[in-house]
Amino acid sequence: MHLSELLQVQDIGERNQLLRRTLVAYTDEVDVSGCELQLLIIAINLTLPKKEVGDLLDKSLAKSLLMDESHIQHCIDEVQWFHTHNVKYPDSRVKGQRIIAQVQKPADGVLCSSNLSQAFGWSHNSSQVNPAKLFGIRFHWQNQETSLLEVVLDNIAEWQAMFQALGMTRKQLSDMRENLSECHTYNHLPSEVSEYSKQIRVPFQEAYCALTPVISHSVQAQIQKMVFNREVRATNVEHGHPASVGNLVAALGGNIRLLNYPPTVAHKVSGKFAEYRDGSTKDVFDYSAIKDKRFLDALCRIAGEKPAPTLRQRRQLRISALRFVRKQLALWLAPMMEWRDSIETRTAYSSPVETLEEQLLYLPVKSLPDVLSDLNARFHKALQYHHRGAQYAFHPDILYPIKQQMKWLLNFIANPEDPVIKSQSSCVYLHLKQLKVHDASLLSNPYVSGIPSLTALGGVMHNYQRKLSALIGRECSIKRGAWFIAQYHRQAGKKLPEPDKVRYQNKASDVQRPGIVDGIYGDLTMDLVFELQLPESLSIPDITILQAAFPSRFAGGTLHPPSLFEQTDWLSVYFSQSELFAVLARLPRGGCWIYPDNKGVSSFDNLVTRLDSEPDLKPIGLGFLPLEEPQNRVGSITPFHCYVEPCIGVVRCINPINVRLSGSKQFYQSAFWHFDIANNAMLMKKVF
């Protein structure tokens, strides 16, 4: 958008509103080439409260403000509180600190401020939020993104002429540039850690380093733009005193938008299907899987509709469509597979096996391929009842491909080709079942909500390793871990903090509550799989010791095993990968495994594209990138401290049925995570 388009609006009130909305950090930068004087007038007038400005294009008002040395000095003074990373977010009680820094070394596959051009935000005294706007507004000029701060410091002739047109002399311009140079710096980090700043301990040089995550202004502004352009799904976090947090939060009225991508967990079928269906007449198939828009699009490609221009593209699209069809057919059959698993240990079915459902449930497993024809007919009949799927029911170009995919699925169930895999002699697998988490933070980092941060998984692994080593008196190691979310519930409302501060120190007084720092919280039910490496001379500890060492915190919430009424043997030890996978393959289909993604993301545009085209892909906090080398700092909880920037990565939510069909080899190669500190990055990564 060009500024001249907005200047053509005749109604002053409407024009003022449009200009204020356009010249903020959460909207795309406007092009001001050719309208430099008008932009300068608007920027100067924006330094006054809204109620004191009748028309933002009032040139006489701008001249008087520019000639007011006291007012302009206020604007210049606020430049010293410009930042690249907002140390006051989300807790505005942090005082007298700011950060201007860059990520030292970007990491592949994750997003941070290095993926964007550098931009400055502001946070300081809330009463000065308007004077800070003069040199903070960003815009496009001659195909470059810049600000009034930069054009003044760079001494650009065109902009000097604009200031002079409003009455400034060369001497005044020179003095202003000198003052701005003194206020502005290109690198600055606090000398001490505020008591209100968070600190996270991570292993570092055989000890620990405290990390303080600070949010990038440019990344936060970019997410607001993506949300307002309706490119991503989002939710809100509210701030009660927005001007105290920063100019971006103030411009949004305290309502900061976050990416919102919860895990793919089906609330109604998170339990066993047999229990869900008990006493019900519901069918044994999940018809939502074959009525999905993406499934019908895949049938469209298989049928040859809307063909690609080249033969190679047509073949690639057909292969990807067939793979997706097999995946959805497995989900369609998932209730049957789950129900059959639940009755395999029961007594044989005594009544005659007549209906298709009875055959799928009670026939010997080797005889399942015999029901292929009836199952294929049931599938096409189900399509007939969908307004779009009806055109593909018994379609001549779809009959054979669908039948072949069903044949593969039935043969797999009848004869699963899963090789026996032996673990290393010193390694065992721990399966922790039906763990409950209450009040877990669903803010993966300050940019993303949905799945809790993967660093929470890394923290549980490391904490368990420490506690178990202390109990057994020998060093052991959690080499890697896998994460399954069975149930997921986001809580409504806000949490009221406990009173912790007296009003008066020297006399009896009431106890006050701190201000509410809004967050997003939820409850989880999950399974964890850990690979535990013990010293070769040490036998497997008793199960009670393995249970006693388990941590009690996860993602800021309370972690505990299931109640005794639900399950007593919630921790199991497996020496064989095959035995463990036989149990994991039967987890309820309503949950999902959190898998690493092999590609990662290379830019914010790439993130938007992939989230739109790959529904099982979710953004998440993968870890931190340092803004400095660890150093000694006053207020740190460890000898070393480091300011870091949280980064955005992606994971895949994989259905247990697809995990089962992929086999154990694929699971052990693709599902496990470990915390890696290397190449100036502290990230949860896939274990190769």
Side-chain angles (χ1 to χ4, degrees):
M1 180 184 290
H2 199 280
L3 183 60
S4 59
E5 300 176 28
L6 301 177
L7 300 181
Q8 294 174 4
V9 177
Q10 298 300 314
D11 183 85
I12 295 177
E14 182 183 354
R15 185 175 63 212
N16 285 348
Q17 185 177 8
L18 289 173
L19 289 171
R20 290 182 182 277
R21 189 181 301 166
T22 303
L23 298 174
V24 288
Y26 62 84
T27 58
D28 294 326
E29 288 76 15
V30 65
D31 190 351
V32 303
S33 301
C35 298
E36 293 86 353
L37 180 60
Q38 290 85 346
L39 185 279
L40 182 56
I41 292 171
I42 295 167
I44 294 173
N45 289 335
L46 282 173
T47 60
L48 291 180
K50 184 177 180 179
K51 61 183 179 181
E52 297 181 18
V53 182
D55 185 359
L56 287 174
L57 289 176
D58 189 337
K59 187 175 181 179
S60 60
L61 176 61
K63 276 187 173 183
S64 64
L65 291 173
L66 195 58
M67 293 298 100
D68 186 341
E69 294 183 4
S70 174
H71 182 77
I72 292 301
Q73 190 60 46
H74 274 310
C75 299
I76 294 173
D77 289 343
E78 291 309 310
V79 171
Q80 65 181 309
W81 297 109
F82 280 15
H83 62 248
T84 56
H85 296 77
N86 191 354
V87 74
K88 290 172 70 71
Y89 187 96
D91 196 332
S92 61
R93 291 177 294 178
V94 177
K95 293 182 179 179
Q97 295 185 351
R98 67 162 177 164
I99 292 178
I100 295 181
Q102 291 182 334
V103 170
Q104 293 190 330
K105 185 178 179 181
D108 294 335
V110 297
L111 300 179
C112 65
S113 57
S114 295
N115 297 91
L116 302 166
S117 58
Q118 189 181 61
F120 294 103
W122 170 90
S123 59
H124 184 222
N125 188 334
S126 60
S127 65
Q128 303 301 315
V129 66
N130 288 313
K133 293 177 181 178
L134 176 58
F135 296 104
I137 294 173
R138 298 194 66 78
F139 49 86
H140 278 287
W141 181 70
Q142 295 185 355
N143 299 321
Q144 290 185 345
E145 185 180 327
T146 185
S147 66
L148 286 178
L149 173 64
E150 294 170 57
V151 298
V152 171
L153 291 176
D154 293 341
N155 204 17
I156 297 176
E158 291 92 329
W159 288 96
Q160 286 185 27
M162 296 304 108
F163 279 97
Q164 290 174 349
L166 293 180
M168 287 195 83
T169 64
R170 289 181 178 272
K171 177 68 168 59
Q172 288 173 324
L173 267 173
S174 178
D175 292 342
M176 183 171 69
R177 184 166 58 253
E178 184 177 343
N179 289 338
L180 287 174
S181 298
E182 293 176 358
C183 293
H184 183 61
T185 180
Y186 294 95
N187 189 61
H188 180 83
L189 288 159
S191 58
E192 64 180 60
V193 188
S194 170
E195 61 177 313
Y196 300 113
S197 295
K198 292 183 178 180
Q199 297 189 55
I200 303 169
R201 267 190 291 255
V202 299
F204 177 72
Q205 295 180 355
E206 299 182 357
Y208 289 93
C209 177
L211 308 181
T212 295
V214 284
I215 192 167
S216 164
H217 171 78
S218 57
V219 174
Q220 192 173 44
Q222 177 64 26
I223 290 176
Q224 311 311 304
K225 295 174 186 178
M226 291 159 56
V227 172
F228 280 96
N229 292 334
R230 299 186 178 180
E231 297 174 332
V232 291
R233 298 199 297 270
T235 188
N236 281 359
V237 168
E238 298 180 359
H239 296 269
H241 302 281
S244 300
V245 182
N247 64 325
L248 178 59
V249 183
L252 289 162
N255 295 303
I256 285 289
R257 274 70 174 181
L258 318 171
L259 302 179
N260 184 38
Y261 289 81
T264 311
V265 175
H267 297 282
K268 294 184 179 179
V269 292
S270 55
K272 295 292 185 181
F273 180 77
E275 300 171 3
Y276 174 67
R277 192 182 187 277
D278 187 32
S280 171
T281 58
K282 290 184 177 294
D283 210 331
V284 76
F285 303 103
D286 183 1
Y287 290 109
S288 64
I290 64 173
K291 293 178 179 179
D292 186 277
K293 179 182 181 298
R294 293 169 295 142
F295 179 77
L296 298 175
D297 289 340
L299 294 183
C300 174
R301 287 195 292 270
I302 295 172
E305 301 175 9
K306 302 176 182 178
T310 66
L311 177 61
R312 181 179 180 181
Q313 289 176 327
R314 288 196 293 271
R315 286 176 175 172
Q316 289 176 337
L317 288 174
R318 181 178 175 84
I319 290 172
S320 64
L322 287 171
R323 287 175 179 169
F324 185 76
V325 162
R326 180 190 293 181
K327 178 180 174 181
Q328 292 300 106
L329 287 175
L331 295 178
W332 180 58
L333 288 172
M336 179 277 297
M337 296 170 67
E338 193 172 279
W339 198 5
R340 184 181 179 95
D341 290 342
S342 69
I343 63 176
E344 280 183 352
T345 57
R346 300 181 187 177
T347 56
Y349 188 63
S350 56
S351 303
V353 177
E354 297 177 351
T355 66
L356 174 61
E357 287 88 345
E358 289 174 339
Q359 293 179 59
L360 290 170
L361 291 173
Y362 299 109
L363 277 179
V365 68
K366 300 294 183 183
S367 302
L368 282 178
D370 297 341
V371 304
L372 175 60
S373 296
D374 291 342
L375 187 63
N376 191 39
R378 175 66 65 87
F379 166 79
H380 286 281
K381 289 179 181 178
L383 277 185
Q384 289 180 326
Y385 293 99
H386 190 269
H387 66 280
R388 186 183 166 199
Q391 61 182 311
Y392 303 115
F394 299 101
H395 192 290
D397 294 328
I398 290 178
L399 274 170
Y400 181 74
I402 291 292
K403 192 169 185 179
Q404 287 301 106
Q405 299 306 316
M406 286 186 181
K407 182 179 180 180
W408 185 93
L409 287 172
L410 292 174
N411 284 330
F412 178 88
I413 299 171
N415 301 288
E417 298 178 2
D418 205 13
V420 176
I421 307 173
K422 294 184 178 180
S423 305
Q424 300 179 23
S425 58
S426 60
C427 289
V428 295
Y429 287 91
L430 307 182
H431 179 205
L432 301 106
K433 294 166 278 191
Q434 294 293 298
L435 302 176
K436 310 290 185 182
V437 188
H438 293 293
D439 295 338
S441 174
L442 302 184
L443 287 179
S444 197
N445 61 32
Y447 312 123
V448 184
S449 73
I451 305 173
S453 173
L454 269 169
T455 54
L457 174 63
V460 164
M461 292 164 58
H462 181 73
N463 197 7
Y464 186 61
Q465 173 182 303
R466 289 185 60 202
K467 295 180 71 174
L468 184 58
S469 297
L471 285 177
I472 64 178
R474 298 281 298 277
E475 284 295 325
C476 61
S477 173
I478 301 292
K479 296 180 63 178
R480 56 181 185 161
W483 185 15
F484 175 78
I485 301 178
Q487 296 179 1
Y488 176 94
H489 171 69
R490 175 174 168 172
Q491 298 175 357
K494 298 183 181 181
K495 292 196 173 299
L496 188 64
E498 290 294 329
D500 64 354
K501 183 179 180 180
V502 294
R503 185 183 298 272
Y504 304 107
Q505 296 290 336
N506 300 323
K507 60 180 180 179
S509 62
D510 59 320
V511 183
Q512 297 177 311
R513 299 180 189 271
I516 295 176
V517 178
D518 197 10
I520 300 176
Y521 301 91
D523 303 325
L524 305 173
T525 301
M526 62 186 190
D527 286 24
L528 297 175
V529 178
F530 293 157
E531 183 177 348
L532 172 65
Q533 185 172 29
L534 297 165
E536 293 186 2
S537 59
L538 185 67
S539 60
I540 303 300
D542 186 78
I543 197 73
T544 56
I545 295 179
L546 294 174
Q547 291 178 337
F550 199 71
S552 59
R553 304 289 292 175
F554 180 85
T558 304
L559 173 65
H560 60 81
S563 68
L564 297 177
F565 298 102
E566 296 175 306
Q567 194 166 9
T568 55
D569 54 341
W570 55 272
L571 190 152
S572 302
V573 181
Y574 293 89
F575 297 89
S576 165
Q577 291 184 353
S578 300
E579 290 180 10
L580 172 59
F581 185 74
V583 175
L584 300 179
R586 298 188 177 194
L587 287 174
R589 65 192 172 91
C592 68
W593 287 95
I594 306 300
Y595 268 46
D597 178 69
N598 293 326
K599 297 179 184 178
V601 283
S602 57
S603 67
F604 283 91
D605 289 339
N606 178 239
L607 175 66
V608 170
T609 301
R610 294 198 65 196
L611 290 178
D612 185 58
S613 60
E614 304 174 49
D616 62 343
L617 200 71
K618 310 290 180 181
I620 197 171
L622 283 182
F624 309 100
L625 300 176
L627 300 174
E628 59 173 344
E629 293 292 332
Q631 59 181 273
N632 297 320
R633 185 172 273 124
V634 177
S636 173
I637 60 176
T638 64
F640 290 95
H641 179 270
C642 182
Y643 281 101
V644 294
E645 178 184 326
C647 61
I648 303 173
V650 288
V651 296
R652 290 195 173 277
C653 292
I654 306 296
N655 190 279
I657 297 300
N658 295 322
V659 171
R660 178 175 183 172
L661 296 179
S662 298
S664 62
K665 183 178 180 181
Q666 178 70 17
F667 173 77
Y668 288 106
Q669 288 179 348
S670 304
F672 283 82
W673 298 89
H674 76 122
F675 190 61
D676 181 62
I677 301 179
N679 299 322
N680 286 331
M682 307 158 193
L683 304 174
M684 291 295 290
K685 291 185 176 181
K686 176 182 177 181
V687 181
F688 293 99

